Amino acid sequence: MTKPKIAVIIGSVRPTRHGDKPANWIAKLAKESGLFDVEVVDLKDYPLPLFDAPASDFWMPTPNEVAAKWQAKLNEFDGYIVVTAEYNRSVPGALKNAIDWAYKPFMKKAVAYVSYGSVGGARAVEHLRNIFVELQAVSVRHGIHIGGSDFGAVYMGQKTWDEVLAGQVGYTKDLFDNLAWWANATRTAREADQVAAKAA
């Protein structure tokens, strides 16, 4: 069996964002784990308008060219690691908007989370877990939460991202093991569904 292909999604688009640092870090470690093929996917490369389609792609083809490219990219993957900040106790608007543009690509796939913020981005991740339930995706239990004391120190120039992330390496094994299990399980189930649909 081939390795599942995983997208590491950078969930913030602000020019002052920090998300690319933990995203590139988790992507490197995911590759080194040997469990996945990994690609970093940056929302900045998909300048999506605010979701304004008559319906989601679950019900109709998307009318927006950029959104169609975004959906096509997501369709390449068996699972995702979403890297998110916490904005006002929730999900960055650009990330929520991108998810709203792409229901079908996430269906019956595994999702893990790396987050950062005042309480480790935990409130953003809890919202994402609820969102992805509606998209029929499977959120894995384990995640990486970079708390306010560390992120604040980075923000204030008292620590570097390298220093902060070094302390998180030990938590990645459970995340990778669980993401690999669910990504493989859901891929097998999707393939079985495809076979059954063709035989029907």
Side-chain angles (χ1 to χ4, degrees):
M1 178 181 287
T2 60
K3 298 175 186 177
K5 188 174 181 182
I6 301 297
V8 175
I9 299 174
I10 305 176
S12 175
V13 299
R14 295 197 301 183
T16 55
R17 70 182 184 179
H18 289 261
D20 54 317
K21 309 298 191 304
N24 289 319
W25 167 79
I26 200 71
K28 178 177 180 291
L29 293 181
K31 289 175 185 175
E32 290 174 355
S33 76
L35 297 170
F36 315 101
D37 289 327
V38 183
E39 181 178 341
V40 175
V41 178
D42 193 341
L43 290 187
K44 278 189 173 183
D45 295 331
Y46 300 88
L48 294 159
L50 287 175
F51 179 70
D52 61 355
S56 84
D57 59 299
F58 183 76
W59 300 107
M60 61 174 283
T62 184
N64 182 275
E65 182 178 349
V66 177
K69 290 179 180 177
W70 166 240
Q71 294 163 12
K73 172 52 69 176
L74 293 175
N75 278 329
E76 297 176 11
F77 301 100
D78 300 302
Y80 311 91
I81 300 174
V82 178
V83 179
T84 184
E86 183 173 306
Y87 291 178
N88 300 321
R89 299 193 177 211
S90 190
V91 181
L95 176 56
K96 177 60 166 65
N97 187 57
I99 294 169
D100 289 342
W101 273 112
Y103 187 114
K104 289 175 72 174
F106 291 113
M107 286 176 61
K108 300 178 181 178
K109 295 181 183 177
V111 187
Y113 306 97
V114 173
S115 60
Y116 54 95
S118 59
V119 289
R123 293 170 294 203
V125 169
E126 285 307 299
H127 288 180
L128 285 169
R129 290 179 183 278
N130 281 328
I131 292 165
F132 277 108
V133 165
E134 178 59 27
L135 274 60
Q136 305 179 51
V138 180
S139 291
V140 304
R141 177 187 181 276
H142 297 84
I144 304 297
H145 296 275
I146 300 164
S149 59
D150 282 326
F151 176 67
V154 170
Y155 191 78
M156 299 300 292
Q158 297 163 341
K159 286 185 179 180
T160 66
W161 268 111
D162 287 342
E163 290 172 319
V164 167
L165 294 172
Q168 298 289 333
V169 172
Y171 301 108
T172 60
K173 184 180 186 305
D174 284 336
L175 183 151
F176 294 150
D177 287 348
N178 280 271
L179 180 59
W181 195 96
W182 283 104
N184 283 308
T186 52
R187 180 174 64 176
T188 298
R190 290 195 313 275
E191 289 170 351
D193 285 349
Q194 292 170 0
V195 171
K198 288 179 181 178

